[in-house]
Amino acid sequence: MKSLGIDIGGTKIYAAVVAENGTLLSEIKKYATPKTRKEIEQILKEIIQNFEAQVDVIGISTAGAVDNTNTKILGSTGNLCIDYPKINFMKLSSKKVVIENDANCAAWAEFKLNPEKNKQNIVVLTLGTGVGGGIIVNGQLLKGKNGAAGEMHFKMSRNKRRQCTCGAYDCFEIYASGTGLKLTAQELSGNPAMTTYDVIEGVKNKDELCSKILQTWQNDIIDGIIGLANIFDPDYVILSGSMAQFVDYEKITLSVNKEIVTTPTKVIPAKFANNAGLIGAAILAMEKIK
Amino acid sequence: MKSLGIDIGGTKIYAAVVAENGTLLSEIKKYATPKTRKEIEQILKEIIQNFEAQVDVIGISTAGAVDNTNTKILGSTGNLCIDYPKINFMKLSSKKVVIENDANCAAWAEFKLNPEKNKQNIVVLTLGTGVGGGIIVNGQLLKGKNGAAGEMHFKMSRNKRRQCTCGAYDCFEIYASGTGLKLTAQELSGNPAMTTYDVIEGVKNKDELCSKILQTWQNDIIDGIIGLANIFDPDYVILSGSMAQFVDYEKITLSVNKEIVTTPTKVIPAKFANNAGLIGAAILAMEKIK
C-alpha cells in the first residue's frame, strides 16, 4: 500500500508519497501556505491531482482538533486563515481522505515506526512555538469524546503568573514551549527584549544566567512530564519539535523517575524531525483503510 | 451471572454478592481490617468460603496499583500492613479472582452502570483523605504499561509550597483532598490546629473566612479538572468520595468549561457512595470471565 501524506502548517505545506513502513517514496514537495481558504484548497487539489493515481489513500496532518471520524476540524487552527476549518477535505479526492491533528500524527509516527512493538503507551510532546500533545493508550490514539484530547493545557501555578495563548493562565504550554523559554528568560534577566536565540547562544558561550534560564525552563518541562507519567504510566515520553534539541534527556529521565509514583519511564528524543506529521498522517490513513 | 465483591480498605473490609446490573444480592458484610497479613488472609478466606458456591467469580477492590493481568499489587498500599501486597489473592478461591485498584473499581462502576451507554470517556476523582483517580478511555480502564496509571500527582505550583504524602511537592492530591482542605484552612487562618470539620461547620454558620477557605480548595479542584479535561476531552468528570459532597457542581462545571480548549464537559457527583469499590470490582470480575 502507498499513501499520500500532506502536512499543512501555518507557514508551509509539505507533501510526499509514503510506504507502509514509513519510507518516503518521493521527494518532499514544499509550498508556502496561502492566506485564504480558496488558495489553500487550490494547492491541495493540485497536490492531490499530481499524486492520487499512485496511492491508495490520502492522509492529511493539520493544526486544530480533528473529530473522531477523521473528517472534520473542530477547534481553532492557530496561524491558518479563520475559515480554514470549513474546507471540505473529503471532497478533495476520489480516494479516501483521512485527516488528523498534527501532534497526533507525529505521535502516531513515533509509535508505529518504533521497532519495539510491545510499547503501546507513549506520550509525545511537540515543543515548538507552542506545545502539542499526542498520546497513545494501548496502541490507540487518545481522542476523547469528540477528538479534542491531548491538549497540554494543565496548570503549573496557582497564582496567575503567565497568560497562555489559549486565554487561560499558567498552562504547561506557556512554560514548556519556545515562547515559555523566552518569557522565562525575560523574567530572570529583567530584559524584556531577550529572545530564545539569546539564551541558546548564551548557553553555548557558558553564560551563567543563560544556563540558569535554560535549567528553569527544563525544570518546568520535568514538572509537566511528572504529572503526565503519573497519569499515563507510559513506556516512553518522547520529545519532538524544534525546542526538543535543547534539553538534557538523561537528566530529565532521572528527575522524572525520582518523583513519580507509577513505574519507571524513559524520556527520549523523537526519531522523526520535521517529517513526523506527514509520515504519521500517511501511515494512519493506510491503517484506516485496512 | 453473580459475583462476590470485596472492598479492602485501610480500616474496613466490605463484602457482598452482586448481580450483573450492579444490584446487591446480599447484605453487605463488614469487618475491621486487621493489622497483619495473616489475619487479612484469614478474613478473606472466611468471606470467600461463605459465598463462593453462590457466585461465578470474585472481584476484589484494593488500595495500591494493580498489574495489567489483575493478579498482583504493584505499589504501596497506604494504610495497610507493609507485606499486604504479598498476599496471593489468586489462591484464595477455586473460582477466578480478579483484583483491581479501588479508584479504578469506583470508576468502572460509575461507567458501566451509567444509563447513557454512549459515554465512553470518563474521569472519576475520589476525593477523600487523599485523591484517587480512575479514568475510562474509549470504554476501557486507563492502566498504562504496567497498570499504575491514573495517579493524581500532577503539580499545582512551581515553588515547592506543600509536600505531598508521595514525597514530591505540590501534587493535585495535596490540594484537592480532605488533607488539602485542612492545609488550606491552616494557611489562610494562620491557625495550625484548624481541621476540615471546622471549615465545614464554619461554612454552615456562614463564616466568611471558612467560605473563603472552601472556595480556595474548590478553585484548586477546578484547576486540576481543567488540566484533565484538556488532556482527556471526557464526557463527564465524576467526583466521588467523602469530600465530594462539599463542592458546588454547577459552579465547577461553568468554571471548567470557561477555560478548557477541548469540547464542553460536565462535572457531576458519583452515583454510588461507599459501595462503588465493591460493586465496581464485582462487575469488572464478571466482565473478565465473559
Side-chain angles (χ1 to χ4, degrees):
Chain A
M1 237 193 280
K2 290 179 198 171
S3 177
L4 171 59
I6 303 176
D7 182 7
I8 306 172
T11 51
K12 288 268 193 305
I13 295 174
Y14 299 96
V17 177
V18 179
E20 273 190 87
N21 66 3
T23 312
L24 295 179
L25 299 175
S26 76
E27 268 190 4
I28 298 179
K29 301 267 179 192
K30 282 183 210 176
Y31 310 80
T33 307
K35 295 287 170 239
T36 70
R37 172 183 154 196
K38 280 255 173 288
E39 290 167 300
I40 295 176
E41 281 176 340
Q42 196 47 47
I43 283 190
L44 293 176
K45 276 181 197 162
E46 272 173 39
I47 296 170
I48 289 170
Q49 273 166 18
N50 280 340
F51 287 105
E52 73 183 334
Q54 308 170 37
V55 299
D56 302 282
V57 67
I58 290 141
I60 298 179
S61 164
T62 175
V66 172
D67 77 331
N68 280 326
T69 65
N70 295 103
T71 59
K72 274 193 299 284
I73 293 172
L74 296 169
S76 76
T77 49
N79 303 319
L80 291 155
C81 56
I82 189 94
D83 58 347
Y84 169 79
K86 289 191 187 151
I87 293 177
N88 189 335
F89 291 97
M90 301 306 111
K91 288 233 164 136
L92 292 174
S93 174
S94 55
K95 299 270 166 74
K96 187 174 170 68
V97 179
V98 173
I99 65 173
E100 185 51 272
N101 166 267
D102 46 14
N104 283 350
C105 288
W108 194 253
E110 297 294 335
F111 162 58
K112 286 303 275 189
L113 305 176
N114 185 326
E116 297 182 77
K117 292 293 172 215
N118 60 335
K119 305 305 184 195
Q120 302 275 310
N121 294 280
I122 299 174
V123 174
V124 181
L125 300 176
T126 307
L127 310 176
T129 313
V131 174
I135 298 164
I136 310 290
V137 170
N138 286 340
Q140 304 279 326
L141 266 175
L142 176 69
K143 293 279 288 173
K145 67 177 182 301
N146 289 323
E151 289 291 337
M152 292 298 132
H153 295 261
F154 49 89
K155 292 187 188 295
M156 303 287 285
S157 172
R158 291 167 82 222
N159 42 11
K160 298 203 175 186
R161 294 185 71 255
R162 282 189 199 172
Q163 190 167 22
C164 182
T165 46
C166 76
Y169 280 83
D170 296 314
C171 300
F172 178 63
E173 164 156 333
I174 200 64
Y175 288 92
S177 59
T179 312
L181 177 58
K182 186 184 75 184
L183 293 173
T184 297
Q186 293 171 355
E187 274 174 33
L188 294 184
S189 69
N191 172 3
M194 195 165 181
T195 65
T196 301
Y197 179 84
D198 295 335
V199 179
I200 301 304
E201 281 304 295
V203 170
K204 276 188 204 154
N205 298 324
K206 310 222 184 285
D207 177 86
E208 226 170 275
L209 175 63
C210 288
S211 298
K212 191 185 158 197
I213 291 165
L214 197 74
Q215 284 308 314
T216 304
W217 173 71
Q218 183 168 286
N219 285 341
D220 287 330
I221 294 172
I222 289 170
D223 279 358
I225 293 176
I226 287 168
L228 293 167
N230 278 328
I231 291 172
F232 289 103
D233 190 15
D235 293 290
Y236 294 116
V237 177
I238 298 178
L239 304 185
S240 147
S242 59
M243 298 302 295
Q245 63 186 301
F246 302 120
V247 307
D248 177 342
Y249 287 92
E250 211 171 319
K251 163 122 203 260
I252 293 183
T253 299
L254 271 170
S255 303
V256 166
N257 284 328
K258 216 188 284 176
E259 289 207 29
I260 58 176
V261 298
T262 45
T263 59
T265 190
K266 276 182 201 154
V267 184
I268 58 171
K271 214 180 333 180
F272 300 96
N274 295 322
N275 307 330
L278 185 157
I279 294 172
I283 61 173
L284 182 68
M286 286 186 270
E287 202 88 12
K288 295 280 180 188
I289 59 164
K290 257 181 199 165
Chain B
M1 237 192 279
K2 290 178 198 172
S3 176
L4 171 58
I6 303 176
D7 183 7
I8 306 173
T11 52
K12 290 265 191 306
I13 296 174
Y14 299 94
V17 177
V18 179
E20 272 189 87
N21 66 3
T23 312
L24 296 180
L25 300 174
S26 75
E27 268 189 2
I28 297 179
K29 302 266 180 194
K30 282 183 207 176
Y31 310 80
T33 308
K35 295 285 169 240
T36 71
R37 173 184 152 193
K38 280 253 175 291
E39 292 168 297
I40 295 176
E41 281 175 341
Q42 196 46 47
I43 284 190
L44 293 176
K45 276 181 197 161
E46 273 173 38
I47 296 171
I48 288 170
Q49 273 166 18
N50 280 340
F51 287 105
E52 75 182 335
Q54 308 170 37
V55 300
D56 302 284
V57 65
I58 289 141
I60 298 179
S61 163
T62 175
V66 171
D67 77 330
N68 281 328
T69 65
N70 296 102
T71 58
K72 275 194 298 284
I73 293 172
L74 295 168
S76 74
T77 49
N79 304 318
L80 290 155
C81 57
I82 189 98
D83 57 349
Y84 169 80
K86 288 189 187 152
I87 293 177
N88 189 336
F89 291 96
M90 301 306 111
K91 287 234 165 134
L92 293 174
S93 174
S94 55
K95 301 269 165 76
K96 186 175 170 70
V97 179
V98 174
I99 65 173
E100 185 50 272
N101 167 266
D102 45 14
N104 283 350
C105 288
W108 194 251
E110 297 295 334
F111 161 58
K112 286 303 275 191
L113 305 175
N114 184 327
E116 297 182 76
K117 292 294 174 216
N118 61 334
K119 305 305 183 194
Q120 303 275 307
N121 294 280
I122 299 175
V123 174
V124 181
L125 300 177
T126 308
L127 309 177
T129 313
V131 174
I135 297 163
I136 309 292
V137 171
N138 285 340
Q140 304 278 327
L141 266 174
L142 176 69
K143 293 279 289 172
K145 68 176 181 301
N146 289 323
E151 291 290 338
M152 292 298 132
H153 295 260
F154 49 88
K155 293 188 188 295
M156 303 286 286
S157 172
R158 291 166 82 222
N159 42 11
K160 297 204 177 188
R161 295 185 71 255
R162 284 189 198 171
Q163 191 167 22
C164 182
T165 46
C166 77
Y169 280 83
D170 296 314
C171 300
F172 179 62
E173 164 155 333
I174 201 64
Y175 289 92
S177 60
T179 311
L181 176 57
K182 186 183 76 184
L183 294 173
T184 297
Q186 293 172 356
E187 274 174 32
L188 294 185
S189 69
N191 172 3
M194 195 166 181
T195 65
T196 301
Y197 179 83
D198 296 335
V199 179
I200 302 303
E201 282 303 297
V203 171
K204 276 187 203 153
N205 299 323
K206 311 223 183 283
D207 178 87
E208 225 170 277
L209 176 62
C210 288
S211 298
K212 190 184 159 195
I213 291 166
L214 197 75
Q215 283 308 314
T216 304
W217 173 71
Q218 182 168 288
N219 284 341
D220 286 330
I221 294 173
I222 289 170
D223 278 359
I225 293 176
I226 288 168
L228 292 167
N230 278 328
I231 291 172
F232 289 103
D233 190 15
D235 292 289
Y236 294 116
V237 177
I238 297 178
L239 304 185
S240 148
S242 59
M243 298 302 295
Q245 62 187 301
F246 303 120
V247 307
D248 177 342
Y249 287 92
E250 211 171 317
K251 163 121 202 261
I252 293 183
T253 299
L254 271 170
S255 302
V256 167
N257 283 329
K258 216 188 282 175
E259 288 207 29
I260 59 176
V261 298
T262 45
T263 59
T265 190
K266 277 182 201 156
V267 184
I268 58 171
K271 216 182 330 186
F272 300 96
N274 295 322
N275 307 331
L278 186 157
I279 294 171
I283 62 173
L284 183 68
M286 288 186 269
E287 202 90 11
K288 295 280 179 188
I289 59 165
K290 258 179 198 168

